[in-house]
Amino acid sequence: MFNHTGRRLLSAGWFVGCLGLVFVASARGQFPSQNVSLIAQLDLTDLTASAGNDCWGYVSPAGREYALMGLNAKLTVVEITNPAAPVIVGSVSHSNSIWADVKTYEEYCYVVNESGGGMDVIDLGNVDAATNRVTLVQRVTTGGLSTSHNVAINTKSGFLYLVGSNLNGGAPVVYSLANPAAPVEVGRWNEASARYHHDAHIVTCTEGVYAGREILFGFSEERGVDILDVTDKSNIFLLSRTSYPGVVYCHQGWTSPDHKYLYVNDEVDEISQTTPTTRTLIFDISDLNNPVLVNTFTTGLPASDHNLYIDGCLMYQANYKSGLRVVNLSDPVNPVEVGFFDTFPANDAVGTDALWSV
């Protein structure tokens, strides 16, 4: 969600594999779809909340599956091992905020919000049990941490990154998860070029000239995409800053599994009429010092885009009023939509109501 506008989010949801959708909506109803089936639904009344925000997933060591649903004043954990019968297994409250975010590492999840209280560290190690399945371990407030728009984790390296926090002007702040229950700050991006990042995606390169390097892709509002080398947490530095035609608010993005392409959404370009339809920007990032915009993809609808994630050759987009869009990336430069689930049947207009994340 664009964190400076105060626009209200009415719903959020999560996608479960390629089999179905568990969806949080302002009202139960019928939803247009293609190649996606509604298996079960929990609405905001079921979740005892007035609004939803971010979501993530967790699989326990026993293989049981859980949705981590961000709500206005809490994180709620829902077991979806049987997706036809979702079960709420626990919640952890936090200060009331429209904007919150959650990610996981090992048997823990980490929750931030924009109203205060620091970063929640939540233990999911007992989530398969009959009682006390979700436990708050601590709230990290060291260094004056109070709020953060987003949290990102590189599960390969074991480092957590706060972006858009009240620390460091909103530029990335890095925490070690060597002890996952007790994150410890180990670095900040503090170059003169450091700027607020709205979101981030961090990878460890495994081949090519960057093999062994940890790279952060930062989505830097009206400036575009920042690419940082974060390998040495005491010496984080900017590799490149790349704008694109019609940039308004560079919001979020994700790399292809081979780290050769970066897919980016701009949350406000449709609203500002910079582009008439939902636009996904595709960058060739084979040279991190010189990313190249090689194409754009559109669903052909006017809806604003918010978050996208890639699993294998499929990209899952949360495009607000046009809902979930499933896109095949077999040809990474020429994506093809292969399915959708419209969580806002009323219209596909621009604006920030409806689906936040998947």
Side-chain angles (χ1 to χ4, degrees):
M1 190 69 174
F2 185 28
N3 70 321
H4 297 305
T5 64
R7 298 187 182 105
R8 186 170 182 78
L9 180 75
L10 299 181
S11 62
W14 54 84
F15 189 70
V16 184
C18 295
L19 301 178
L21 185 81
V22 179
F23 173 65
V24 182
S26 56
R28 299 183 188 273
Q30 299 299 312
F31 306 101
S33 65
Q34 178 184 346
N35 295 328
V36 181
S37 300
L38 179 66
I39 293 177
Q41 183 182 18
L42 298 176
D43 66 17
L44 291 173
T45 300
D46 298 324
L47 295 164
T48 61
S50 62
N53 42 60
D54 196 44
C55 57
W56 205 246
Y58 174 72
V59 180
S60 75
R64 291 164 68 171
E65 298 186 34
Y66 297 86
L68 310 180
M69 186 64 219
L71 299 163
N72 58 294
K74 61 184 176 181
L75 176 85
T76 291
V77 180
V78 182
E79 181 164 6
I80 54 172
T81 305
N82 175 4
V87 178
I88 297 171
V89 301
S91 298
V92 173
S93 298
H94 57 67
S95 57
N96 199 336
S97 174
I98 292 176
W99 297 278
D101 195 82
V102 55
K103 297 294 186 300
T104 59
Y105 181 71
E106 295 185 353
E107 296 179 10
Y108 293 83
C109 73
Y110 306 83
V111 181
V112 296
N113 73 84
E114 289 210 12
S115 291
M119 174 171 57
D120 289 356
V121 180
I122 298 171
D123 187 350
L124 300 175
N126 201 44
V127 74
D128 291 340
T131 59
N132 301 319
R133 300 173 71 171
V134 181
T135 305
L136 176 65
V137 177
Q138 66 160 316
R139 289 196 160 102
V140 179
T141 57
T142 52
L145 175 63
S146 174
T147 66
S148 186
H149 181 72
N150 227 311
V151 56
I153 296 175
N154 182 357
T155 57
K156 298 286 178 61
S157 67
F159 288 96
L160 177 150
Y161 295 78
L162 294 184
V163 291
S165 77
N166 67 299
L167 306 178
N168 203 32
V173 179
V174 192
Y175 293 77
S176 169
L177 299 180
N179 178 358
V184 176
E185 183 182 331
V186 292
R188 300 184 179 196
W189 180 33
N190 55 18
E191 290 183 296
S193 56
R195 296 291 185 274
Y196 176 101
H197 282 173
H198 185 79
D199 206 335
H201 175 52
I202 304 96
V203 303
T204 299
C205 297
T206 57
E207 59 183 46
V209 296
Y210 304 103
R213 310 298 293 178
E214 187 169 9
I215 303 298
L216 181 147
F217 299 90
F219 306 97
S220 184
E221 305 181 292
E222 75 281 356
R223 291 170 296 278
V225 178
D226 287 353
I227 301 180
L228 309 181
D229 188 319
V230 295
T231 309
D232 180 351
K233 308 305 182 281
S234 64
N235 183 31
I236 295 172
F237 58 93
L238 182 70
L239 292 170
S240 59
R241 174 169 288 157
T242 305
S243 188
Y244 47 85
V247 59
V248 183
Y249 198 89
C250 185
H251 177 264
Q252 186 264 355
W254 211 257
T255 60
S256 58
D258 61 8
H259 304 154
K260 292 181 179 178
Y261 295 93
L262 176 69
Y263 299 82
V264 176
N265 52 66
D266 186 311
E267 186 180 18
V268 188
D269 53 357
E270 297 88 7
I271 295 171
S272 68
Q273 299 183 332
T274 297
T275 178
T277 59
T278 312
R279 177 177 65 159
T280 305
L281 301 122
I282 306 170
F283 291 89
D284 181 332
I285 53 171
S286 54
D287 181 355
L288 296 176
N289 292 283
N290 185 33
V292 177
L293 179 64
V294 291
N295 205 355
T296 60
F297 165 77
T298 181
T299 61
L301 301 171
S304 307
D305 42 356
H306 192 245
N307 280 348
L308 63 85
Y309 300 99
I310 295 170
D311 185 10
C313 68
L314 294 178
M315 173 167 55
Y316 302 92
Q317 298 185 335
N319 289 347
Y320 281 129
K321 292 185 181 180
S322 68
L324 167 71
R325 320 305 293 196
V326 185
V327 181
N328 189 294
L329 301 177
S330 296
D331 180 345
V333 180
N334 297 288
V336 177
E337 183 175 273
V338 293
F340 69 85
F341 189 94
D342 188 349
T343 58
F344 193 84
N347 61 65
D348 297 316
V350 298
T352 57
D353 291 336
L355 194 67
W356 174 308
S357 202
V358 293

